[in-house]
Amino acid sequence: MFESLAPLDPFLDDLNDPSAELEREPDPEPLDDEAKRMVLEDLHDLDEFQSLLEPRGVRGICMECAGCEEMHYYEWEIMRSNLLNMLAHHQAHVHEPPFNPKPEEFVSWDYANGYADAVIELSSDE
């Protein structure tokens, strides 16, 4: 599934592939049981966040990148794809960011989590 989402390799089956000379990074270590449990929990939370927030116009999750210190915006399906790829291949899937995202249409994971907790608490009070 994830291979179909990846960009095409322009040098696929090319004997003169210039990347053949590059030093390859080692494959990522498999996730341990605790890390797998956390990713599965995140997938469950993401489903809940989407069901609560998408009808209110929220398109996904935003988070600050530690590497470039810029905000990154992930639509629901891209975030889900990244989490599923973590389970299958032990690393996040490479993706294209949304073109010209509207920051007001995205919320942080912490905001989404707090929103879901509040909805659950309100519905349990009824």
Side-chain angles (χ1 to χ4, degrees):
M1 174 175 134
F2 296 105
E3 290 79 21
S4 67
L5 298 174
L8 295 176
D9 181 353
F11 296 101
L12 186 65
D13 299 326
D14 184 342
L15 298 176
N16 296 315
D17 182 349
S19 71
E21 297 177 22
L22 296 175
E23 192 173 313
R24 302 277 184 207
E25 290 187 26
D27 289 337
E29 291 291 319
L31 301 179
D32 62 24
D33 289 342
E34 177 64 12
K36 285 180 189 176
R37 184 194 63 73
M38 291 173 64
V39 172
L40 289 169
E41 190 175 293
D42 284 349
L43 279 165
H44 175 268
D45 289 347
L46 185 68
D47 288 341
E48 184 175 51
F49 300 162
Q50 184 177 5
S51 70
L52 292 170
L53 292 166
E54 190 172 49
R56 302 184 67 76
V58 176
R59 294 183 56 198
I61 300 292
C62 62
M63 54 184 67
E64 187 171 337
C65 175
C68 68
E69 297 181 1
E70 289 186 25
M71 196 61 75
H72 288 234
Y73 301 90
Y74 303 93
E75 292 180 353
W76 300 115
E77 290 308 314
I78 290 174
M79 181 61 78
R80 184 170 291 102
S81 174
N82 283 345
L83 291 169
L84 289 170
N85 204 57
M86 289 289 293
L87 288 175
H89 303 288
H90 322 296
Q91 62 186 3
H93 185 67
V94 176
H95 70 278
E96 290 292 325
F99 177 73
N100 202 16
K102 296 178 181 171
E104 64 274 10
E105 294 178 345
F106 295 83
V107 297
S108 70
W109 192 274
D110 288 341
Y111 177 93
N113 195 42
Y115 186 89
D117 286 347
V119 168
I120 291 167
E121 186 174 320
L122 285 173
S123 62
S124 69
D125 288 343
E126 294 175 355

